[in-house]
Amino acid sequence: MGGIADQAERAGRQAENSDWLDYAVRIGMVAYGIVNLMIAWIAAELALGDSSGKASSQGALHKLAQQPFGGALVWLVAIGMVLLVIWRLLEAALGHRDEEGGKRWRKRAVSAGKAAIYGAVGVSAFKVATGSGSSGKGGQSTTSKIMDWPGGTWIIGLVGAAIVAYGLNNIRRAWTEKFREHLSAEGQGGDAGKAYIWFGKIGYMAKGAAFIVIGGLFVYAATSHKPKKAGGLDDALHKVLQQPYGPVLLMVIAAGIACYGLFCFARARHLSR
């Protein structure tokens, strides 16, 4: 059994370090960039008074499907997300070997979490591509069911706190420019490199702000015992719209999400894993 496990680990490491995985990640990053640009488009429309679209991954995919060659692009997104899931699962199982102890396991846990995020987008993409995904707004039945469990409100509250922490970490990455590790040296040089870095700074800042609002909604739902108050990105952006100068703030966030999408393209071109 030990020999089989060693062979499996060697095979996994070869796959993780192979050129084909680089190509797979590049395709996935392009697909993820497209999704974020579509979300930004819907958010901008919402800021301008058009609330017909849903500012979420699924809403973005429905919007994409309505464009010329949209069906093919949705399939590209679905395949790209599968490739990103494979990459992150390999990282979760075998990656971050240059780290030691708890830091290695923490990074592997983060990789597993990102695999889940990409997987959720991929499932939505396959549903839209096959015509089985609904473009309407869903309820909060899952949150309601969890809150009915013993300790369910604590679970929802902890989920919200974790989402807020993730948002804060994105802002930290923007402030410290930690995201630059995702770009090769070539991708950070010259005028193009400066533009990519600005896309990253603005994009990670906007992404972080959006996740903080989402997490805050979950925490509020837990503390108020109102599961319908929890929500995803679409609910968070509507909450922003209700604030003073909401349309202006929402347009800024939309621009930031678009910058994150452009950074995904830059990352695909100048990949550093």
Side-chain angles (χ1 to χ4, degrees):
M1 290 297 290
I4 295 174
D6 290 341
Q7 290 177 6
E9 184 173 356
R10 282 196 296 271
R13 289 180 177 178
Q14 289 175 355
E16 187 191 9
N17 296 320
S18 64
D19 290 338
W20 74 261
L21 190 58
D22 279 347
Y23 292 124
V25 174
R26 292 178 195 275
I27 293 170
M29 280 295 140
V30 170
Y32 201 44
I34 291 172
V35 172
N36 279 277
L37 288 178
M38 297 306 299
I39 292 174
W41 182 0
I42 296 171
E45 288 183 333
L46 179 60
L48 295 173
D50 182 359
S51 59
S52 59
K54 185 177 181 182
S56 64
S57 296
Q58 189 171 24
L61 291 165
H62 278 286
K63 188 83 168 180
L64 181 62
Q66 297 167 9
Q67 309 311 310
F69 307 105
L73 289 173
V74 172
W75 275 110
L76 170 64
V77 170
I79 294 169
M81 291 302 102
V82 170
L83 296 174
L84 289 182
V85 168
I86 293 171
W87 168 43
R88 290 302 190 183
L89 288 178
L90 283 171
E91 274 193 346
L94 304 168
H96 309 294
R97 291 187 299 275
D98 54 332
E99 305 292 350
E100 295 182 357
K103 191 172 183 180
R104 175 190 295 179
W105 292 107
R106 179 178 61 80
K107 287 193 172 185
R108 286 184 174 182
V110 170
S111 294
K114 289 182 178 180
I117 293 172
Y118 294 144
V121 178
V123 169
S124 294
F126 277 112
K127 285 183 177 180
V128 173
T130 58
S132 59
S134 172
S135 61
K137 295 192 176 186
Q140 301 296 330
S141 58
T142 302
T143 305
S144 299
K145 289 177 181 178
I146 293 174
M147 289 185 71
D148 288 337
W149 297 351
T153 54
W154 282 99
I155 294 173
I156 296 299
L158 289 173
V159 168
I163 295 172
V164 170
Y166 180 71
L168 290 171
N169 186 56
N170 274 281
I171 292 176
R172 180 189 65 83
R173 292 179 70 85
W175 185 262
T176 61
E177 298 186 1
K178 179 73 173 174
F179 61 85
R180 292 175 69 152
E181 66 187 6
H182 297 314
L183 297 175
S184 65
E186 180 185 2
Q188 299 181 45
D191 292 338
K194 291 179 182 178
Y196 298 154
I197 291 169
W198 273 108
F199 289 153
K201 285 181 74 72
I202 298 169
Y204 273 90
M205 193 73 71
K207 184 180 176 184
F211 273 101
I212 288 171
V213 177
I214 293 171
L217 292 176
F218 273 83
V219 171
Y220 179 71
T223 56
S224 64
H225 300 278
K226 295 178 180 178
K228 290 186 177 181
K229 295 297 182 180
L233 181 58
D234 184 61
D235 300 277
L237 295 182
H238 276 86
K239 181 64 69 174
V240 170
L241 189 61
Q242 296 167 10
Q243 308 309 309
Y245 305 102
V248 175
L249 291 173
L250 186 54
M251 188 62 76
V252 170
I253 291 176
I257 294 173
C259 284
Y260 184 78
L262 294 174
F263 180 76
C264 289
F265 294 156
R267 189 174 173 183
R269 182 177 181 182
H270 301 285
L271 181 67
S272 176
R273 291 198 286 121

